Amino acid sequence: MDAILVVNAGSSSLKFQVFSVDGGRRLDCIIKGQIDGVRTKPRMRAQDASKRPLIDRNFAPDEVPDLPAAIQVAANWLRESQNVDLLAVGHRVVHGGPTYDSPVFITSDVVTRLERYVSLAPLHQPNNLSPIRMLLSRRPELPQVACFDTAFHRGHSPAVDHYALPEELYEEGVRRYGFHGLSYEYIAQRLLEIAPDVANGRIIVAHLGSGASMCALHGGRSVESTLGFTALDGLPMGTRPGQLDPGVVLYLIGEKGMSPSAVQDMLYRECGLKALSGLSNDVRDLLKSSDPKAAFALEYFVYRAVLFTGMLVAALGGLDAFVFTAGIGENSPEIRARIAARLAWLGIALDPERNARGVQLISAPASRVKVFVIPTDEELMIARHTLGLLETKRGAQIRERAIL
């Protein structure tokens, strides 16, 4: 069967989904899988569309020593046991820099450009590029498409994109990019289907997960985001601090004698909820804990989400709808309720019973602002972009043959 493989590579895991292509534009997810414990205790699991297990297998560490090996294992299994004929592979790439404002076919030149942004997304970019390089080397005939988390925000006005720094730095690419764009793009499209009355209005989407951000949408487009040059800005996250006075970095280097690499490692891995609680970077653990520091970490998270909501409302000039998405946003009624309670001044009121069940619309009938819980689907967004580029390329080839 013809299919598109979507790959999301992490530091020690590879998530993948397979979408069948029926000859038109219909995409159906037929397989979801992942390989965890790369390099240490590799384990591959996958299930079909009905959640029936297809594989659950452990590997020796030397069988899956790195991410390229992981994608090779997954590709071999799909070809040999699932009869999948890949049309293309779509990849999530976190940082597209100033060069890429839309998905692109991957070449070695594209990879070289994307390597420039490794320092701007050190937790993500190297892992995103690793399986891409392997496939370019071993399957050069297989089309690959890069879909960027920054692309959806590239229509921002200059006042939104700029820092108050010398202009030459902006021209070099030191600017506010915003991230989680694939998630926000999916939510914008989904709202057109489920809430057309507000879909083109003034909307805030809270993508709350281990990585967290918020985005202001108007007319289905991003107009402002809490994230900027890197994925360290804005909301506190699992292990990242969120908004930080740059003077803190200068202090750590100048007064504490930390090297830039040590500061980078601390900011990406040792801050956020993990640092505030001293216990865990996982909101589920913190909600279960009776430790006062866990309670403080959650209070801080909620406070900052409310604070940034005010900023985004100002950017929009009002608010018609608020959307919770991603791991915390979709699965934590308590965090949703705590954020909503502190936004009562906006006219937000939740229906407690609907919020507890996590249904699609959780606001009370009297709420002036509609509040939704919408599961995000970045992988479907990547599959759509990948199929779209394939169709564009096919159409161009047909037109070229007609001219010849």
Side-chain angles (χ1 to χ4, degrees), residues 123-139:
L123 293 188
H124 303 90
Q125 199 85 346
N127 302 314
N128 298 157
L129 297 180
S130 182
I132 288 173
R133 292 192 197 93
M134 186 279 291
L135 287 173
L136 277 176
S137 173
R138 299 186 185 181
R139 295 286 306 278

Side-chain angles (χ1 to χ4, degrees), residues 68-215:
I71 196 169
Q72 187 69 59
V73 166
N76 289 344
W77 174 74
L78 290 170
R79 183 178 62 254
E80 295 167 5
S81 69
Q82 301 301 307
N83 193 31
V84 170
D85 183 17
L86 294 181
L87 297 176
V89 180
H91 298 266
R92 178 196 179 207
V93 178
V94 166
H95 215 304
T99 305
Y100 298 108
D101 59 2
S102 60
V104 295
F105 282 113
I106 295 171
T107 64
S108 57
D109 287 341
V110 169
V111 173
T112 298
R113 293 190 185 98
L114 294 176
E115 285 172 341
R116 300 172 188 168
Y117 312 125
V118 165
S119 65
L120 306 186
L123 293 188
H124 303 90
Q125 199 85 346
N127 302 314
N128 298 157
L129 297 180
S130 182
I132 288 173
R133 292 192 197 93
M134 186 279 291
L135 287 173
L136 277 176
S137 173
R138 299 186 185 181
R139 295 286 306 278
E141 80 290 352
L142 181 63
Q144 295 188 78
V145 172
C147 299
F148 305 101
D149 260 348
T150 50
F152 185 64
H153 304 290
R154 288 298 305 281
H156 287 174
S157 72
V160 173
D161 272 355
H162 272 71
Y163 290 108
L165 295 170
E167 183 64 17
E168 58 264 27
L169 289 174
Y170 179 84
E171 295 300 325
E172 290 176 16
V174 181
R175 60 185 72 176
R176 297 184 69 244
Y177 291 100
F179 297 88
H180 295 134
L182 291 163
S183 175
Y184 293 128
E185 186 178 11
Y186 174 80
I187 296 298
Q189 293 185 9
R190 186 77 178 112
L191 279 168
L192 286 170
E193 300 170 0
I194 65 175
D197 56 322
V198 297
N200 288 310
R202 300 163 300 182
I203 298 162
I204 291 174
V205 183
H207 179 107
L208 306 181
S210 180
S213 70
M214 299 170 73
C215 178

